[in-house]
Amino acid sequence: LWTEHTSPDGRTYFYHSETKQSSWSKPDELKTPSERLLSKCPWKEHKHAETGKIYFYNSDTKESTWTEPEDFTKIKEEIKKLEEKEAQADNSEKEDEEKDTEKKEESEGEEIVYETKEDAKNAFKQLLKDKSVPSTATWEHAMKQISTDKRYNAIPKLNEKKQAFNAYKTQKAKEEKEEERQAAKEAKEKLYEYLISHPHMNSNLLYRKAHETLESHKEWSVVPERDRKDVFEDAIFFLSKKEKKEETELRAKQKEELAILLEDVKEISYKTTWADAQEVLSSYKPFKNNILFENIDKEDMLVVFMEHIKALELDFEDEKQKK
């Protein structure tokens, strides 16, 4: 580490304890922010040995001038702003310390004694949690919420309070991010359930049409569009499989019921043609009034009819042989 020393002739020099290096120039590690800013400028201010007049020398170009260079002026202005900012920060720190002292005095005699320093930190962090201090809160904002609580004095030093506060904010930010992730996940799950059970949803519906219908619904609008499109596609895929399964089951049920119905239609014999059978069924009330047969597939009807005719032919041949 660099340390400052004075040589026998009174000049200041700097010594690094690990590298054993010595330097007349002040190392960057020991410079103030203003000094580091000034060191970046090649122009340096000097006083003439004989006249005492100020002049400026550029270490890069070896140029010298009596007039203050524009680059040097800009650096001076930046340094002034930086020093003003540092002064404000110092004043703010001082005010915080004064407020902290005032709060301690107000709660004197009410202090809670903690067995360990870790217990004290945990109590302070719990206070922040109990007051629902968000991860985006400033120290000044948090103080307004927590300063009247006994646990505020769990940590006596202001700088340690702020360290615990920053540690709490880091952890709180992670928790808030996880809560957001979980909330987004739950919103997508709710939207999925909502879509697959919505009466206007089917596998042929386009996203644009769905958006026009559902954009005012909370379940739809609360999910960001990119995620919403993914959920919509998943719902459409599910509905497509569901519809195909339902269609297969319906066709099987229709064929089964039609086969039972044909057993009771006396007008249909083993000689009846398909065209004649259709005409008979169109006026047969048990067929005509049954909603199950409203959209029955013609090919399925033909298959069932042919099986029925085949069974009638076998019955006829059996009877013929018996006679």
Side-chain angles (χ1 to χ4, degrees):
L1 299 178
W2 286 102
T3 51
E4 187 177 316
H5 301 273
T6 304
S7 66
D9 60 1
R11 288 192 297 166
T12 300
Y13 71 98
F14 302 90
Y15 176 74
H16 196 286
S17 58
E18 293 182 1
T19 62
K20 312 301 180 186
Q21 181 184 357
S22 297
S23 173
W24 294 111
S25 302
K26 192 174 187 179
D28 286 341
E29 291 88 338
L30 298 181
K31 289 179 181 177
T32 65
S34 298
E35 288 173 332
R36 283 197 292 271
L37 193 59
L38 188 60
S39 66
K40 293 178 181 179
C41 182
W43 287 101
K44 298 293 182 286
E45 185 179 304
H46 299 276
K47 184 181 286 188
H48 196 279
E50 295 179 3
T51 64
K53 188 177 179 181
I54 299 297
Y55 71 96
F56 302 89
Y57 177 74
N58 190 312
S59 57
D60 291 344
T61 63
K62 312 303 179 186
E63 180 185 358
S64 60
T65 177
W66 296 108
T67 306
E68 186 175 289
E70 186 179 346
D71 290 347
F72 189 81
T73 304
K74 287 181 181 179
I75 289 291
K76 280 175 65 178
E77 289 173 355
E78 289 182 33
I79 290 172
K80 185 179 178 182
K81 290 178 183 178
L82 184 61
E83 288 175 345
E84 287 174 354
K85 191 175 180 180
E86 288 172 350
Q88 288 176 356
D90 290 342
N91 290 335
S92 178
E93 184 76 19
K94 188 177 179 182
E95 287 175 7
D96 286 345
E97 289 175 355
E98 288 173 355
K99 288 178 184 177
D100 192 52
T101 302
E102 288 173 9
K103 297 302 177 185
K104 281 185 180 179
E105 290 172 355
E106 287 174 10
S107 58
E108 237 177 75
E110 300 178 356
E111 286 190 15
I112 302 172
V113 178
Y114 299 94
E115 291 185 7
T116 65
K117 196 171 183 179
E118 193 62 29
D119 288 342
K121 284 183 179 179
N122 290 336
F124 185 78
K125 290 178 183 177
Q126 187 61 44
L127 167 60
L128 292 165
K129 186 175 182 180
D130 292 346
K131 297 295 183 180
S132 300
V133 176
S135 64
T136 54
T138 62
W139 171 249
E140 290 73 19
H141 176 76
M143 269 189 62
K144 292 177 183 178
Q145 294 180 261
I146 66 175
S147 58
T148 56
D149 194 288
K150 294 178 183 179
R151 291 169 292 176
Y152 177 76
N153 293 322
I155 303 174
K157 294 182 180 179
L158 180 62
N159 66 323
E160 291 182 356
K161 273 189 177 75
K162 289 186 175 181
Q163 286 176 5
F165 173 65
N166 289 330
Y168 163 82
K169 284 180 53 172
T170 300
Q171 180 60 32
K172 184 66 175 174
K174 291 179 182 177
E175 292 173 2
E176 288 171 349
K177 190 173 182 181
E178 175 58 25
E179 287 171 4
E180 288 176 7
R181 188 195 68 79
Q182 188 61 33
K185 180 174 177 286
E186 290 176 4
K188 289 195 289 184
E189 289 172 353
K190 285 181 180 178
L191 176 59
Y192 178 78
E193 294 298 327
Y194 179 72
L195 290 176
I196 63 174
S197 61
H198 197 284
H200 294 159
M201 280 291 295
N202 62 71
S203 62
N204 296 317
L205 189 66
L206 298 176
Y207 177 85
R208 176 175 55 80
K209 289 292 184 182
H211 182 68
E212 290 174 2
T213 305
L214 305 172
E215 63 178 329
S216 61
H217 296 229
K218 181 182 176 183
E219 291 85 354
W220 180 268
S221 61
V222 75
V223 178
E225 185 172 19
R226 184 180 63 181
D227 293 336
R228 194 164 59 220
K229 284 184 175 180
D230 290 340
V231 175
F232 179 78
E233 288 177 6
D234 289 342
I236 290 296
F237 180 74
F238 170 83
L239 290 173
S240 177
K241 287 178 64 177
K242 181 185 176 184
E243 288 166 7
K244 286 177 181 177
K245 182 182 177 183
E246 290 174 348
E247 182 184 356
T248 300
E249 291 173 350
L250 175 62
R251 289 178 67 181
K253 181 68 174 175
Q254 287 172 328
K255 289 165 73 176
E256 181 184 344
E257 291 297 320
L258 180 60
I260 295 171
L261 183 140
L262 288 175
E263 296 285 347
D264 297 330
V265 183
K266 304 305 181 184
E267 293 86 346
I268 295 178
S269 69
Y270 72 94
K271 294 180 179 179
T272 304
T273 64
W274 170 231
D276 291 340
Q278 289 183 83
E279 188 174 341
V280 170
L281 287 173
S282 66
S283 59
Y284 187 64
K285 287 185 178 179
F287 178 83
K288 187 170 63 172
N289 298 335
N290 192 332
I291 59 172
L292 181 66
F293 300 129
E294 278 185 1
N295 297 310
I296 189 169
D297 186 82
K298 293 295 182 183
E299 289 185 9
D300 288 346
M301 285 183 66
L302 178 59
V303 169
V304 174
F305 170 76
M306 294 302 294
E307 290 175 351
H308 180 65
I309 292 299
K310 191 179 291 183
L312 290 177
E313 287 175 347
L314 289 173
D315 290 342
F316 175 77
E317 290 298 327
D318 287 344
E319 288 293 329
K320 187 177 179 181
Q321 288 178 3
K322 286 178 183 179
K323 292 179 181 178

